[in-house]
Every structure is written in C-alpha cells, then in structure tokens.
Amino acid sequence: ANAENGADLTSDNVIDTMVNNRKNSKATIINVPVENGTFSVKIQEMIDTINSWMHQFGHAFNEGHPCTLTSSDGFILENRHANYQKYVFLQSPLPEKIVVEGLDEEPNRVEWIEHRTDLDFVYKNKKLTINLIKPDDEFTWQVLRIQAHRPEDDILETKF
C-alpha cells in the first residue's frame, strides 16, 4: 500500500473508520509513517487504540461475515467458523435495548464480549429484545455476542 491508497487516521477516528469499513465490506488501509525509525506520539496513540480495541473485539471483527439477521441498532456479523455465534456491533452512545430479528430459536446466551457480562433478554415471536447495561470500558464501538445452541452442548460427558 502507499499513501495514495491509505488513510491518515488518528486515535479519535481509527476504530470508527475500521468498523464502518467492515460494515460496508471494505478494507481499511492506514498510513503509518515512520520517522527516523520510530513512530510519532500521535501514530503510537493510534496504534495503541487499535490494539486495545482489537484485544477485546478482534475475534468478532476478523471472524465475522455478513448474515441475514437485522438489529434495531448497529449491525450484525456471523462467526464464519461457528454459525451459532452472532456479533452485534453497537456504536456509543448505546441505546437502552435493541431488537434483533431473524433468529429461528431462542439463544442460550447473550453477553458483552468484553468480560463476558451476561445481558438480560426476551425471545418472543422470533424477536430477541436485549436489555443493554453499560459495559465496563468505554469504547466507541461495543460488541455483544448472541450464542445459540452449540453442538457441544449435547455432549453429556467428556471422557479422557
């Protein structure tokens, strides 16, 4: 990549740019200038922001692909390797609740990915209403996981 193809991003807009590009099936190319073998303070802050966010949500960001579910807020990706996991990307400020449509059955669990904090939900008439609570950390974009019944849930006993 070169500067003509890349974007000059900052710690304030890098995650928003990355997530919006992901939502729109676009790649993000970031210009990262190196000055005398080092990064400037602003570039290092941007890299640290990416690292902090990806540490929490990188799995959902990288492993997700578009799915048919819809949400009253944000957008949803499905885990390409484990289709029983769906990821809802929500931009701050967060609503009090969201409604997800398109699920065929009630999920086993709904949680913030960060710290696996369980979220209360109601599944009725193929609509999943999720009550949101404030996550522990402040990120521009938060991600929650909807987990359906997994094949391994049917295993009664594991023998070694």
Side-chain angles (χ1 to χ4, degrees), residues 69-72 76 86 88 97-103 105-110 119-131 144-147:
L69 300 182
T70 60
S71 177
S72 59
I76 304 174
K86 314 295 192 251
V88 183
K97 66 182 176 180
I98 61 169
V99 178
V100 173
E101 297 187 58
L103 291 168
E105 55 187 47
E106 182 174 352
N108 283 357
R109 181 178 187 154
V110 177
L119 297 170
D120 291 330
F121 65 90
V122 174
Y123 181 76
K124 186 175 181 181
N125 299 324
K126 295 199 175 208
K127 290 184 179 182
L128 177 66
T129 302
I130 305 168
N131 297 314
L144 66 84
R145 176 182 13 249
I146 300 170
Q147 185 164 293

Side-chain angles (χ1 to χ4, degrees), residues 110-156:
V110 177
E111 64 188 359
W112 285 124
I113 287 181
E114 175 194 17
H115 305 303
R116 293 186 157 200
T117 304
D118 286 325
L119 297 170
D120 291 330
F121 65 90
V122 174
Y123 181 76
K124 186 175 181 181
N125 299 324
K126 295 199 175 208
K127 290 184 179 182
L128 177 66
T129 302
I130 305 168
N131 297 314
L132 302 178
I133 58 172
K134 185 178 177 184
D136 292 336
D137 294 324
E138 296 286 329
F139 288 104
T140 305
W141 283 87
Q142 296 286 347
V143 185
L144 66 84
R145 176 182 13 249
I146 300 170
Q147 185 164 293
H149 181 81
R150 305 172 301 166
E152 56 265 34
D153 292 335
D154 296 329
I155 300 171
L156 299 177

